[in-house]
Amino acid sequence: MKPVILTDIEGTTSSISFVKDVLFPYARAALPGFVRENADKPEVRRWLDAVATEHGTMCDDDMVVEVLQGWIDEDRKHTALKALQGMVWEAGYTDGDFTAPLYPDVAPALRRWHAEGYPLAVFSSGSVPAQKLLFGHTDDGDLIPLFDAFFDTEVGHKREAGSYREITARLGRSASDIVFLSDVVEELDAAREAGMRTVLLDRREDYPGPRLGDAANGHERVESFADIRP
Ligand SMILES: CSCCC(=O)C(=O)COP(=O)(O)O
Ligand SMILES: [Mg+2]
C-alpha cells in the first residue's frame, strides 16, 4: 500500500505572504460586518461565545471582534478564530476577490502522486472549510478531488504529537505509512514523535536562510515538492 502524503499549507503548499498579506488583512477588515450580519447563526454564535467565555463574561460582540482582530495580528492559531476566518474568506473566494496561489511545483506533484495512487491529506491550522476553499480556488484550478482527507486543529495543535496520533487513527494506517510535509520544524518534531516520516519544506521565498544541519533537526529537507520521494 502506498504511504499517505499529509501536507501542511502555509509555507509548504502556499507562500506565507499569501496568508499574511492577502487572507489575514481580508479577514481583519471583513470581520466586523460579518459578525454584525451573522452573529445569530448557531455555527457563528458557537465560536463568538467560545471567544467571549475565554476572554471574560462581559465581552460583547464588538469586543469579541477586537479580540479576534488582535489574534489575527498575533497570528494566533486559535480554533475559534480559524473557524470564523474560514467563513469570512468564503465570500472573498466566491466573489473572486482573490484566488489561492500555490508554489509552482505543488499542483504537478499532487496530480502525479494522486495518479500514482498515493492517498493525499491536509493538516493545517486553517479550518477544514478554509482548507477546502483554498484548494477549491487555486490558480491551478479545483484540486479538492485529489485529496482523501482534511484535518484541522479540532484534532489537536500542530506542535503536539497527540494530534498526529489522532490523524493516524482516523486514517486507519500505521504512522510509519504517513509522510508529513511542513515548513515548521516543531510540527515535524511532533509528527516524528508520533512515528510519522517527515520532510521539511525549506522554501527560499519564505525562509531566506537555508535551514541546514542542526536547523533541520534531522528531518529530510527539500526546497520543492519535485524533490520529494514518498
Ligand atoms: C488554510 S487557511 C489559511 C491558512 C491559515 O489560516 C493558517 O493558519 C495556516 O497555517 P498552517 O498550519 O497551514 O501553516
Ligand atoms: Mg506551515
Side-chain angles (χ1 to χ4, degrees):
M1 214 188 299
K2 303 263 191 190
V4 178
I5 301 171
L6 175 69
T7 186
D8 166 57
I9 294 179
E10 181 186 355
T12 299
T13 63
S14 298
S15 69
I16 292 175
S17 73
F18 168 62
V19 176
K20 298 264 161 65
D21 301 335
V22 177
L23 291 181
F24 286 2
Y26 182 95
R28 196 182 199 294
L31 253 177
F34 175 83
V35 169
R36 261 195 314 277
E37 284 162 31
N38 297 286
D40 291 341
K41 295 182 180 157
E43 67 276 19
V44 175
R45 190 76 258 156
R46 166 191 175 199
W47 295 117
L48 298 176
D49 288 348
V51 176
T53 305
E54 190 170 317
H55 201 69
T57 46
M58 300 303 289
C59 199
D60 64 13
D61 283 351
D62 288 339
M63 288 168 71
V64 168
V65 166
E66 277 179 37
V67 170
L68 289 165
Q69 289 175 324
W71 287 355
I72 291 173
D73 297 342
E74 293 165 22
D75 191 13
R76 278 276 300 274
K77 305 292 189 188
H78 193 289
T79 305
L81 169 65
K82 292 293 159 187
L84 291 163
Q85 275 179 327
M87 297 178 207
V88 171
W89 289 328
E90 184 170 4
Y93 284 111
T94 54
D95 295 349
D97 290 336
F98 48 79
T99 52
L102 301 178
Y103 282 112
D105 47 280
V106 169
L110 293 175
R111 290 196 174 102
R112 187 176 67 253
W113 291 334
H114 178 70
E116 290 171 356
Y118 291 93
L120 302 179
V122 177
F123 183 27
S124 169
S125 305
S127 66
V128 167
Q131 297 171 21
K132 290 182 176 172
L133 283 165
L134 189 150
F135 281 111
H137 298 85
T138 80
D139 291 348
D140 297 274
D142 177 3
L143 302 186
I144 291 179
L146 303 181
F147 290 96
D148 296 278
F150 295 85
F151 301 99
D152 60 22
T153 54
E154 296 215 44
V155 300
H157 287 282
K158 293 182 75 190
R159 298 180 186 206
E160 293 167 8
S163 311
Y164 299 86
R165 293 195 185 98
E166 179 64 25
I167 290 173
T168 301
R170 292 196 191 189
L171 289 173
R173 300 286 295 264
S174 51
S176 58
D177 278 343
I178 303 171
V179 188
F180 180 53
L181 318 178
S182 178
D183 62 314
V184 175
V185 170
E186 291 83 353
E187 295 175 2
L188 296 168
D189 292 345
R192 181 170 59 192
E193 191 183 330
M196 291 185 186
R197 289 171 51 198
T198 52
V199 179
L200 173 67
L201 269 295
D202 197 22
R203 295 186 177 279
R204 292 287 63 77
E205 185 180 326
D206 286 324
Y207 296 87
R211 289 170 293 166
L212 303 166
D214 286 351
N217 202 22
H219 300 288
E220 185 183 335
R221 174 192 165 280
V222 297
E223 295 193 5
S224 160
F225 271 32
D227 297 327
I228 296 171
R229 299 283 166 263

